[in-house]
Amino acid sequence: MSLTLDALIVLTSFAYASLAPYTKVEESFNLHATHDVLMYGVGPTNLPKYDHFTFSGPLPRTFIGAVVLAWATQLCLNAGEWMGVSAGKFDAQVVLRLVLASINAIGLCLLRRAVSRRFGRLTSVMFALLSCTQFHLPFWMGRTLPNMFALLPVNVALCLMLDRAPNSTRPSPGAVRGALALLTFATVVFRSELLLLVGPVALQSAFQYLPLLDVIKTGLLAGSASVALTVAVDSYFWQQWPLWPELYSLYFNVVRGKSSEWGVMPFHVYVSSFLPKLLLSSLPLSLFACLIDRRIRAIMAPYAAFVALISGLGHKEWRFVIYTVPAFNVAAARGATWLVGRRKGTLFGRLCFLAVMGMLAANCVATSLLARSSFANYPGGAALSAFNKFFEHEDYLHVHISNLAAQTGASLFLQSHASPHLSLPSVQDSVYAHKNWTYDKTEGLSLADLTADTRITHLIAEADALPSSRSWTRVASVDGFDGWRLNLDVRLAGLTKVLEMKKSEKLVILKRAV
C-alpha cells in the first residue's frame, strides 16, 4: 500500500508535466538558466551566451536550483542515450520538468510516510488522496518557479517535525535543528518570503522544543553557510561581486516597495480567495481537524502565523503561500480520517463517510475543469512547436516571436533548429545539424518594422494586434483558453457538455509573401 500511494503521487505529477509540457513567463528564468547550463556548460567563456544577460528581468535570481536541475537532467538524458533512446531539444524540457516533479514528489512521499507514523496508515492514505485530487500543487510542482525549488526543503522540514510516534510530545532536538536549517536555507537561497515562516517555527521551537541559544546557533550556522553558497554561485553566474539574489529581492520588493507596482490586494485575499482555490476540500477538513486534535493545532500554528504575516504585504500571489498546502493537507487528512472512522452502522457514521467521499469527488470535478483550462492556455508553446513542424525542411529562416508567444510557452527549448546547435551530445539531432534558423524575440517592433527588416522571413504574431498586410501570408493559427460557457440547451445524453470551453484565436503563423 505504501509504495502504491507513493507511485500515485509521483504519477500524478508526471501526468501534468506530460499533458501540459509548455511553460509560462514566470517559469522562464529557471527554465532558461537550466537550458543554458545544459547547452553551454558552466565554463566562464560560455557565460556570455546565457539568456539572462540578454533578458535579465528586474531582479537577479539564484542559479543554484537551475544548476542542480541541469545536472540531474543531464544524467537522465545520458542514461537514455546509453539505452538507445534519442532525445530532441524539447524532449529535454519535458525531462527536466519530470525530474523536478520527481524531486518534489519525493518530498511529499517522505511527508506522507511521516504522517503514517504520526497519525496512522489511514491518515496517510487520505493525505495522498487529498494531495493528488487538488490541482495547483501537483500541476505546479514540476514547473520551474523559484517557489517549487523551495518546496522540497520546506516539505522535508515539516517531515522532520512530524516523523515520530503518535504519543510523542515533541520531536527530537536533531530533527528540530534539521528543520530550522532547511527552512533557513530555503529562505536565504530561494524565496525570501519564507522568513515569515522561519520566524514562527523558530519561536515555537524556542518555547517548546529547544533552548533559545540552540535555535539561534542553528539559524546562524545554516544562514551563514547558505549565504556563502548563494553568493559564491550567483556572483559567478551573474558576473557581479558580491551578489546575494534574495537579499536584493527583499530590498527591492519590501524596502523600496517595488512589489506594489505589480498590484496590491486586500489583507484578506489569501484566506478568502487563494487558499480556498489551492486547498479545495482540504480547507474545511483542516479547520475541523484543528478542533479535534491538539497535535494538528501545534503543526498548523506556524503556518497560520505565516499566512497572517504575509497577508500584511500589499502584493499577493497564490504561489507565495503554496508552501502551506502540504501542512493543510496533513491536517485535512486527520480530519477526514476521524470522519470516515465513525461507526458505519449509524446514520451519523454513514453521513460522515459520504461527506468525505463527496469532498474527494468535488476535488476531482474542480481539478478536471482547472486542468482542462490550463492545458489550453499555452498558445505560444503550441505555436512554436507547430512552426517547427511546418517548416522543418527549410534550411534557413528568421522568425520573429511576439511577446504573447514568448510569455506563453515559446521557450528556448523549442528553438530546436537554432544555430549554433546544441553542445549536449544526448540531445543532438543530426537531421537538423545543418540548419541555420534564427529565433528573434526582439520587443517593441511594429508590423512596419518587421516588414522592413528583410532578414525576417516568418512571424508568430498576436492575432488581435495584427492588421491586414499584403507582405505576409497566413500559414496557421493557434487558439487559447478564454473561459467557460454554461450551456443549458442540452439533452440528457449531452450532460457532459453543460460546461463548454470558450476559445479564441491568440496567435497566427505568417510567412513573408513572395
Side-chain angles (χ1 to χ4, degrees):
M1 172 64 78
S2 182
L3 290 176
T4 301
L5 293 174
D6 290 346
L8 177 64
I9 293 171
V10 173
L11 292 176
T12 300
S13 65
F14 274 23
Y16 285 124
S18 302
L19 293 171
Y22 306 120
T23 57
K24 285 287 182 70
V25 63
E26 55 265 35
E27 307 163 58
S28 62
F29 172 76
N30 281 301
L31 183 73
H32 291 165
T34 306
H35 168 277
D36 293 339
V37 173
L38 273 172
M39 300 305 131
Y40 305 121
V42 297
T45 58
N46 287 326
L47 290 183
K49 302 175 186 177
Y50 277 38
D51 184 71
H52 68 286
F53 287 118
T54 305
F55 299 96
S56 60
L59 291 172
R61 290 295 183 190
T62 183
F63 265 81
I64 291 174
V67 170
V68 173
L69 182 58
W71 287 346
T73 302
Q74 185 167 4
L75 287 176
C76 294
L77 293 171
N78 289 340
E81 184 185 24
W82 180 75
M83 291 185 292
V85 179
S86 59
K89 194 172 182 180
F90 183 62
D91 296 327
Q93 175 171 313
V94 177
V95 171
L96 78 84
R97 289 198 50 216
L98 292 174
V99 169
L100 181 58
S102 300
I103 291 170
N104 279 317
I106 289 171
L108 286 180
C109 291
L110 292 174
L111 182 55
R112 186 201 61 76
R113 290 169 182 259
V115 168
S116 181
R117 186 181 177 200
R118 181 69 169 152
F119 297 106
R121 182 178 298 178
L122 181 57
T123 306
S124 78
V125 172
M126 288 297 173
F127 174 81
L129 293 177
L130 287 165
S131 298
C132 292
T133 57
Q134 290 169 338
F135 171 72
H136 285 85
L137 182 61
F139 182 83
W140 284 92
M141 68 187 193
R143 296 184 169 274
T144 53
L145 287 173
N147 313 77
M148 296 304 111
F149 289 94
L151 188 63
L152 177 66
V154 173
N155 283 343
V156 175
L158 178 57
C159 173
L160 289 172
M161 300 293 278
L162 276 179
D163 193 16
R164 48 197 166 106
N167 57 354
S168 171
T169 58
R170 64 184 61 200
S172 69
V176 176
R177 293 188 192 98
L180 288 170
L182 285 169
L183 289 173
T184 301
F185 168 78
T187 302
V188 169
V189 174
F190 293 118
R191 294 300 304 180
S192 57
E193 74 263 11
L194 282 169
L195 181 64
L196 302 178
L197 179 60
V198 174
V201 172
L203 285 174
Q204 184 185 56
S205 300
F207 278 107
Q208 298 181 10
Y209 308 137
L210 288 178
L212 177 60
L213 185 59
D214 277 7
V215 172
I216 294 173
K217 285 170 61 178
T218 301
L220 288 175
L221 287 173
S224 300
S226 300
V227 169
L229 176 64
T230 188
V231 169
V233 171
D234 296 311
S235 296
Y236 172 75
F237 279 102
W238 287 91
Q239 295 292 285
Q240 300 177 36
W241 181 267
L243 178 64
W244 175 3
E246 283 309 300
L247 180 63
Y248 187 90
S249 174
L250 189 67
Y251 170 76
F252 183 86
N253 287 318
V254 179
V255 178
R256 296 182 60 188
K258 292 293 185 179
S259 62
S260 61
E261 295 179 2
W262 299 95
V264 174
M265 293 184 179
F267 180 86
H268 59 79
V269 165
Y270 283 126
V271 174
S272 63
S273 179
F274 290 145
L275 282 175
K277 291 177 183 177
L278 291 172
L279 297 171
L280 300 178
S281 297
S282 288
L283 183 57
L285 286 171
S286 61
L287 296 176
F288 173 69
C290 287
L291 295 176
I292 63 170
D293 195 330
R294 60 181 177 80
R295 295 173 299 175
I296 294 297
R297 292 194 291 273
I299 293 168
M300 293 304 300
Y303 291 90
F306 169 70
V307 173
L309 290 170
I310 202 169
S311 294
L313 300 178
H315 179 61
K316 299 176 176 64
E317 296 183 37
W318 64 264
R319 60 191 178 98
F320 296 165
V321 292
I322 191 70
Y323 325 103
T324 66
V325 172
F328 272 101
N329 284 346
V330 171
R334 176 69 184 99
T337 301
W338 189 93
L339 291 171
V340 300
R342 301 305 92 193
R343 290 178 54 194
K344 303 302 185 296
T346 65
L347 177 61
F348 177 71
R350 290 194 290 269
L351 289 175
C352 287
F353 180 82
L354 289 175
V356 173
M357 295 303 105
M359 288 182 179
L360 289 173
N363 275 10
C364 292
V365 172
T367 295
S368 174
L369 294 175
L370 290 167
R372 287 179 59 199
S373 61
S374 294
F375 295 162
N377 208 19
Y378 296 87
L384 189 50
S385 180
F387 178 87
N388 289 333
K389 293 177 181 178
F390 283 145
F391 301 104
E392 61 183 349
H393 299 297
E394 298 282 344
D395 291 336
Y396 169 82
L397 58 78
H398 184 128
V399 57
H400 181 267
I401 299 169
S402 71
N403 189 46
L404 176 63
Q407 290 185 352
T408 57
S411 72
L412 293 179
F413 281 99
L414 275 166
Q415 297 183 13
S416 54
H417 305 168
S419 179
H421 205 59
L422 311 182
S423 63
L424 187 66
S426 57
V427 292
Q428 285 282 10
D429 192 341
S430 59
V431 175
Y432 302 126
H434 65 282
K435 292 187 180 295
N436 183 17
W437 287 27
T438 299
Y439 296 84
D440 183 356
K441 296 189 294 183
T442 305
E443 298 178 352
L445 298 180
S446 66
L447 182 63
D449 296 328
L450 297 170
T451 303
D453 189 344
T454 56
R455 297 173 302 169
I456 299 175
T457 59
H458 298 77
L459 303 177
I460 298 178
E462 297 171 21
D464 59 359
L466 186 70
S468 59
S469 174
R470 295 181 180 179
S471 301
W472 300 97
T473 302
R474 178 186 289 248
V475 176
S477 64
V478 175
D479 293 342
F481 176 73
D482 281 334
W484 293 96
R485 177 190 299 112
L486 184 62
N487 181 15
L488 298 178
D489 187 20
V490 294
R491 298 181 179 181
L492 186 62
L495 285 178
T496 56
K497 297 183 178 179
V498 170
L499 278 178
E500 292 183 345
M501 184 182 294
K502 295 189 296 182
K503 290 185 177 181
S504 64
E505 188 177 74
K506 301 297 183 184
L507 296 167
V508 291
I509 300 173
L510 303 174
K511 180 179 181 180
R512 188 180 290 273
V514 178

